[in-house]
Each structure stands twice: as C-alpha cells, then as structure tokens.
C-alpha cells in the first residue's frame, strides 16, 4: 500500500492509514471484506447530543476529547481530528474510508473523531451519541474485533462515567441502540448470488433472523460492487455475546451460499465466467472515462476472479484499495481540489489504469 | 501479413494471399476499405449457365478453363480451382475473402474460380454468367482497378468469343447486367455516420442517384462493422466511363460526409470518443469469448481510432486482416475442422488476443 500512503490523511500531524480492513488478509476474505463492531456510549455529565445547545456542545466536545486523551488504550493511542475545522474533502475521505458516518461529516458544530494510526479503531465524538467506538477489521473476525473494542471501551471507562441503567443497560440517544449499544456489521462480497439472482433470498432470510442488509456505505446506500453489509438489528434484551453468537451462526450460512453459487457458475459455464472477469479487467485497463459505479462493478467482478484463481498477478489488496481510492472524495483529495463529475471520471479511469499497469 | 500467409489457401499448389485490398495502403484508406470492379461475360458457344444441362455444363467449364489458361494476361496468370471438388471450408474462406459469391460457393455442379496469386484478380466460372471477372483493390482506386480489369478482359477476349450485341452490348444471364456488364462497388467504413445516426441519409441520397447500398458481404448481408458497399445499379445505357465517372463523383461526397462527422465527434466529445476506442481495444485484448458480430463491431471502432490518431502501435493492415481472419470459415480452416459456434467464439477471442499482443 505504498502509493496509498501518499494520500494518507493527517490527523494532528499523524498519518492515518487507508485501513487494515482493505488488506484482504483476514479470514474468509474471498467473501467477507470486513467485520465492523460499534459501541454507542454516553457520559452522565451532559445531555445527549441532540438535546445540547450553544456553548455546552463545545464544553462536551472538550470533555470527551480530554477523556480520550487520558484513557489508557492498550495499543497506540488515537489522534483527534476536529471535524468542525477539517476541510470538507477530508471529511468526505473519512466517510469513504468508513471511519465516520455521512451525518457526522455533514453535521455542523463542535464534533470530532479520534483515529488510531492503523485506522482499525475510531471514536466519533458528538455524533448521535457522545461516543461511537468502532473497530473495523479485514475478513470475518468477530472475536478479535470484539476483544479490541472491549479493551478500548474499558480504557475509556476508566476516565469517563458512562450513562448506564442496571435495568436497560447503556443509555443511548436513540432507543434502538439502548442496552448493549452494540452493532456488528459484516461486509460481504456476493457477486455470485447477485449473478444467479439469489440475493433477494438472502435479504429475506436475513430479515427473518433480525439481520439488516445494507449497501457499501451503510444505511440507505446502494449495494455498490455487489457488497452487502449484514448487521444485527436488536441491541436490547440480548447480551453482547448473544449478538456475537448470532452473527457467528448466520454469516457462515451466507458465505457457504455464495461459495456454492460460485461453484455452480464455474461448473455450468466456466468460460463465460472467465470471459466476464477478463472483460472487466480489459475495460478498466483501457477506459478513458469511468464512473464510480462502473468502477465498483468491474472491480467487484475482478475481485471474484482473483479469488476464483482466474487472475493471479493482481493483489487482492490493490483491488480492495481501489474501491476506496476511486471514490469521489479520494480522487479530489489526490487532485487537491474540488472537481466536476466529468473530470473525476477522467481521473478515475487514469488512476485505475496506472495502478493496474503497475501489477500487470 | 506473414502470419496470414500461414493460412494461405492453395489453388493448384499455388498459395493465394489474403488480399491486397486489406493492406490499408490505397488512397482514402481511412474511409474506403476497397474498390471492386466486376465484369459479367458470356461466350457465344454455350447457353447461359441457368439454361445448361448435364454433361454440357462440364464441357462449358473445360472450355472456359482452357480459355483462361491460354489467355495472355499481362501480369501473373491466375490459377484455377475446381469448386466442385474443393472442400466446403475452402469455399467458405473464398467467400469470406470476397473472391467468390455465396451462391457460387453453395451451388452444385461443375464450376470454378481462377485467382491471380496476389488475389487482386479473380474470375468466377459458371456462376450466374459464364465468366465473372473481378478486380479488388485497397482504397479508392477506380482508374487503376478499371485498367487492370480491362487488361484482363482483353486478354480473355483474345481466346474467347464474347456474346455481344451491337445494340445492347455484352449479353448476360440476368437483364440487369446487360450492356457493360460492369458493376463498381466501393466498400466504405462509416462508423461516424452510424454513431451520429446519419447513415440513413446516405442511403437515401444514394438511391436518388441510382447507387445501391449493401453490407460487408454484398447483396442481402448486414452492414457488419459499419462497412457499407456502394455500387452502381444501372449497367445498360451508360458507357463504362460514364459509370466510372458517376462513382468518381458520388463516393467523395460520402467520404467528406464521414470525415466531417468524425471531426464533429472529436470537437464535441473527444474524450468520449477516445474512451469508446480504448474500451473496444480492452475488450478484444481480454475477452475469452467473442462472437463474429461483436469482433467486427469492436474492430470497426479500433479502425476508426487508428485513423484518428488515438492508437498508434496497431497497423491498420492487422485490423483489416482480422475482419477476415475472424470469420467462421477462416477460424475453422485454421483449426482444420468444423467447429460449433461456442468453440469458434473461444478460438476467435484467443486469436484476436494473440495477434493484438504481438503489436501492443
């Protein structure tokens, strides 16, 4: 990821990596892009963010920021970024890297995010809740992600008084997060289920076991590049371990279903599938104008092709990285200015060509 | 065209080249693929082919064959191929090379074709008329093609008695060819007129001045790869020079129209046009399955891209040659056997990849 480092965002002079979750090194990486664990936390000294006004918002931000700075994190301490002061392009890049929410990027007022250098741990400050802790890791890695976020949570709890009810659990701004405040999201790459028109069945089955299915950029976003985020919907009345257990049971069923469909496609029409993969590569190698959606579509097919053994010289980490580097914010950040769509399409095509030429 | 020679058809042990018309070396080659001049001739000693029966057909063929062998052609003498004995794949290849008609390939009975080694001159024997002389040359080359066919015609006339009426001119099997027996066809490559949806206007204008518009393989064939054959419809009541003059006036109008539309496309959306050209290249470089129609479509776009200066390492002769080498007959001839469509699509894709890899 040497080239990506060149675009590393700086947070308090500290470079922030593109994200370990793009390495493609985690378990079941052929189908599971990433595992994300999130905890919603609030402190007792202040009202919830949506009920806070004027100077108190600034006081709250400083209070939380001090708490984060003082907390004894077991790994490298996160650096803090004041989002009220950060340029709009930087905020957009953080959204594209899945480090902050779209709402947090576009909101006004005193708010921020603390990010650990490898970008596996991030903490949004003054989003919907006072604190939103997130651990984002490569592949299907529930236990490790959970252990990492639990350790960060404990470190913060040493310096902050969490709002907690013995009856309800952790209190949150929105009732849907009360209890554990835990949301686990697994980003799955399901091109074969899409090609074989089985993806609706997955949604249906997911809803039946209280799993939500969302797109590449979470709630309300499209399933770009055949990526689907599966997450738990219930945070109350279940223990953290219960939620983990439920994901540990359900996700492998989808993984197996996608693997079966890939095998079916190969058995029934291997050459047709190879043709599709190679054409996607040919188009990305040569196109002069590429939309974001088109890039994600072709990268998705190439990603599958690599895992099926059709393409062997392209590192999976490069393809994963391109999903992010070709997003509008990253393209503009690289150019150093805001650009029109048509110029972005040109730069996107050129960037993909250059990166592919480096490995082919 | 070294690789193409490997596939050279043999006629009486004499290799027949793929065709000078594919060299892309003739005048106006950016738009005019080839100029074809054809003369219909019959001898007085026999009835027209459609009225001949039994052994007389064999006698006629031998008679004409002897005449061709004895004629003092100014250039290299043509070699004779007995089409009644020729394998079906060889006949199909001759059609694909525009050296014999589809009807002549699929007909039964004693018939043949004489082909000069460079394949610029060919003479069908016992097609619709006793003799059909053809000269096929690269680019827009009316005068030279006419001079070449006139010389061949004179050489034959020294040994054969043509059926000729002082009032009507040369007599032919079908009344539409009576008179000069001359048909001039110019094969035009008109991708910009197709893209800008102006091609119908060309047809319309052509019909008004008695020009017929046909596809890549002549009468009743589709306009594959944006190629259109423009030819005169009237052979009677006009002198040879009058027909030549009419083509010499009309064709440049279409050439200019196509050039204007190419310029318009570049002015209005150069990058979009480049994108289209490079994508076509990417697809042909990488696809694993390619239909004949698809190959011609992408090759057409690449051909235009080369002439517009977008692609500089691909020789135009290679692209022209690929139009023929990727036809079903040539693919099967190369494989040495009849093949199913799906296998042909695989071989076609592999062949194009190999040839392009040789120059990129």
């Amino acid at each position: 990821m040497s080239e990506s480092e060149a675009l590393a965002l700086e947070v308090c002079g500290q470079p922030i990596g593109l994200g370990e979750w793009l390495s493609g090194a985690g378990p079941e990486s052929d189908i599971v892009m990433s595992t994300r664990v999130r905890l919603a936390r609030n402190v007792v000294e202040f009202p919830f963010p949506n009920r806070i006004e004027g100077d108190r918002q600034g006081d709250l931000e400083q209070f939380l920021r001090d708490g984060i700075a003082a907390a004894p994190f077991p790994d490298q301490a996160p650096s803090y970024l004041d989002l009220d002061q950060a340029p709009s392009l930087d905020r957009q890049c953080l959204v594209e890297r899945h480090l902050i929410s779209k709402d947090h990027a576009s909101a006004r007022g005193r708010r921020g995010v603390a990010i650990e250098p490898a970008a596996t741990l991030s903490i949004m400050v003054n989003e919907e809740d006072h604190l939103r802790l997130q651990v984002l890791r490569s592949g299907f890695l529930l236990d490790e992600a959970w252990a990492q976020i639990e350790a960060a949570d404990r470190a913060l709890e040493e310096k902050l008084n969490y709002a907690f009810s013995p009856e309800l659990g952790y209190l949150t701004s929105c009732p849907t997060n009360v209890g554990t405040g835990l949301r686990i999201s697994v980003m799955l790459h399901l091109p074969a289920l899409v090609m074989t028109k089985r993806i609706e069945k997955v949604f249906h089955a997911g809803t039946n076991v209280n799993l939500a299915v969302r797109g590449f950029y979470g709630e309300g976003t499209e399933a770009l590049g055949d990526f689907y985020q599966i997450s738990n919907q219930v945070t109350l009345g279940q223990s953290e371990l219960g939620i983990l257990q439920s994901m540990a049971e359900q996700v492998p069923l989808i993984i197996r279903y996608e693997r079966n469909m890939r095998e079916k496609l190969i058995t029934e029409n291997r050459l047709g599938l190879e043709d599709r993969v190679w054409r996607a590569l040919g188009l990305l190698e040569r196109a002069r104008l590429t939309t974001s959606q088109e890039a994600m579509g072709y990268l998705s097919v190439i990603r599958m092709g690599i895992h099926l053994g059709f393409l062997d010289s392209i590192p999976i980490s490069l393809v994963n990285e391109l999903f992010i580097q070709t997003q509008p914010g990253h393209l503009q950040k690289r150019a150093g200015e805001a650009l029109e769509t048509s110029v972005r399409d040109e730069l996107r095509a050129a960037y993909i060509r250059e990166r592919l030429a480096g490995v082919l």
Side-chain angles (χ1 to χ4, degrees), chain A:
Chain A
M1 283 204 201
S2 57
E3 292 212 31
S4 66
E5 305 296 359
L7 185 65
L9 292 174
E10 292 213 345
V11 174
C12 296
Q14 186 89 349
I16 297 299
L18 200 62
E20 180 268 354
W21 65 287
L22 295 167
S23 68
E28 323 282 4
S29 267
D30 56 334
I31 289 163
V32 184
M33 181 80 153
S34 62
T35 300
R36 173 177 170 266
V37 178
R38 178 268 275 167
L39 292 175
R41 296 291 185 254
N42 293 274
V43 295
V44 296
E45 292 85 351
F46 289 82
F48 289 131
N50 58 339
R51 307 202 50 171
I52 213 159
E53 281 172 7
D55 291 345
R56 287 286 279 163
Q57 194 186 44
D59 296 343
L60 169 58
E61 191 215 6
Q62 192 59 52
F63 181 84
L64 296 168
R65 190 171 170 167
D66 292 344
I68 293 170
F73 291 100
D75 304 316
Q76 277 198 275
S79 309
Y80 191 81
L81 180 69
D82 181 344
L83 288 173
D84 201 24
Q85 300 297 319
S88 144
L89 268 184
D90 283 15
R91 283 182 274 134
Q92 194 177 345
C93 285
L94 290 171
V95 173
E96 290 171 358
R97 291 185 189 190
H98 296 252
L99 292 174
I100 65 173
S101 66
K102 267 189 183 164
D103 285 348
H104 205 41
S106 60
R108 290 163 180 277
R110 302 293 301 274
R111 68 203 191 284
V113 61
I115 306 171
E116 165 265 335
T120 57
L121 170 70
S122 62
I123 305 165
M124 286 193 285
V125 170
N126 276 1
E127 207 244 18
E128 188 181 295
D129 293 295
H130 292 163
L131 297 172
R132 284 274 179 111
L133 289 72
Q134 170 185 284
V135 163
L136 183 58
R137 299 293 299 271
S138 170
F140 191 40
L141 204 75
L142 286 175
D143 293 342
E144 287 83 341
W146 171 246
Q148 190 180 352
I149 206 163
E150 213 187 7
D153 190 37
R154 281 207 199 107
L156 284 169
E157 209 164 8
E158 284 195 29
K159 299 296 167 185
L160 297 169
N161 297 315
Y162 283 159
F164 183 84
S165 142
E167 194 191 344
L168 295 171
Y170 291 99
L171 302 180
T172 56
S173 184
C174 174
T176 58
N177 291 311
V178 166
T180 59
L182 171 65
R183 173 155 290 154
I184 302 177
S185 307
V186 178
M187 177 113 69
L188 296 157
H189 187 222
L190 306 174
L193 287 169
V194 172
M195 282 182 208
T196 57
K197 301 191 196 310
R198 252 86 171 185
I199 199 73
E200 291 293 334
K201 286 177 87 170
V202 174
F203 296 166
H204 219 75
T207 315
N208 287 342
V209 291
N210 271 317
L211 294 179
V213 183
R214 300 188 172 89
F216 191 66
Y217 281 112
E219 217 156 337
T221 69
E222 277 176 274
L224 292 167
D226 305 323
F227 286 106
Y228 294 87
Q229 283 192 44
I230 310 286
S231 53
N232 64 304
Q233 285 189 303
V234 178
T235 58
L236 182 69
Q238 250 193 318
S239 70
E240 285 84 350
L241 294 181
I243 296 170
L244 281 164
Q245 186 56 34
S246 160
M247 293 297 280
E249 282 165 11
Q250 297 302 324
V251 171
L253 300 180
I254 307 175
I255 295 176
R256 198 178 314 147
Y257 197 11
E258 167 70 16
R259 283 220 182 96
N260 287 346
M261 286 308 110
R262 292 186 185 187
E263 271 167 37
K264 180 181 155 78
L265 285 171
I266 289 185
T267 308
E268 290 175 3
N269 186 11
R270 182 188 178 96
L271 201 58
L273 198 62
E274 286 187 16
D275 184 55
R276 194 160 170 165
V277 169
W278 284 101
R279 280 172 184 243
L281 179 63
L283 284 165
L284 289 183
E285 278 181 293
R286 293 301 194 182
R288 260 51 188 168
L289 289 169
T290 309
T291 65
S292 177
Q293 201 169 344
E294 202 188 15
M296 292 198 75
Y298 294 140
L299 287 169
S300 166
V301 177
I302 291 172
R303 190 180 190 282
M304 180 186 66
I306 295 171
H307 283 301
L308 291 178
F310 297 166
L311 300 169
D312 52 14
S313 73
I314 307 177
I316 198 75
S317 59
L318 172 61
V319 178
N320 288 347
E321 189 192 325
L322 284 175
F323 282 112
I324 306 304
Q325 297 280 22
T326 57
Q327 296 295 327
H330 278 75
L331 285 170
Q332 294 173 96
K333 174 81 182 166
R334 205 177 297 118
E337 58 181 331
L339 302 167
E340 279 183 33
T341 310
S342 61
V343 180
R344 292 206 302 265
D345 289 351
E346 191 180 349
L347 285 185
R348 182 178 294 111
Y351 182 75
I352 295 173
R353 287 204 309 279
E354 186 192 318
R355 296 298 303 269
L356 287 176
V359 298
L360 288 169

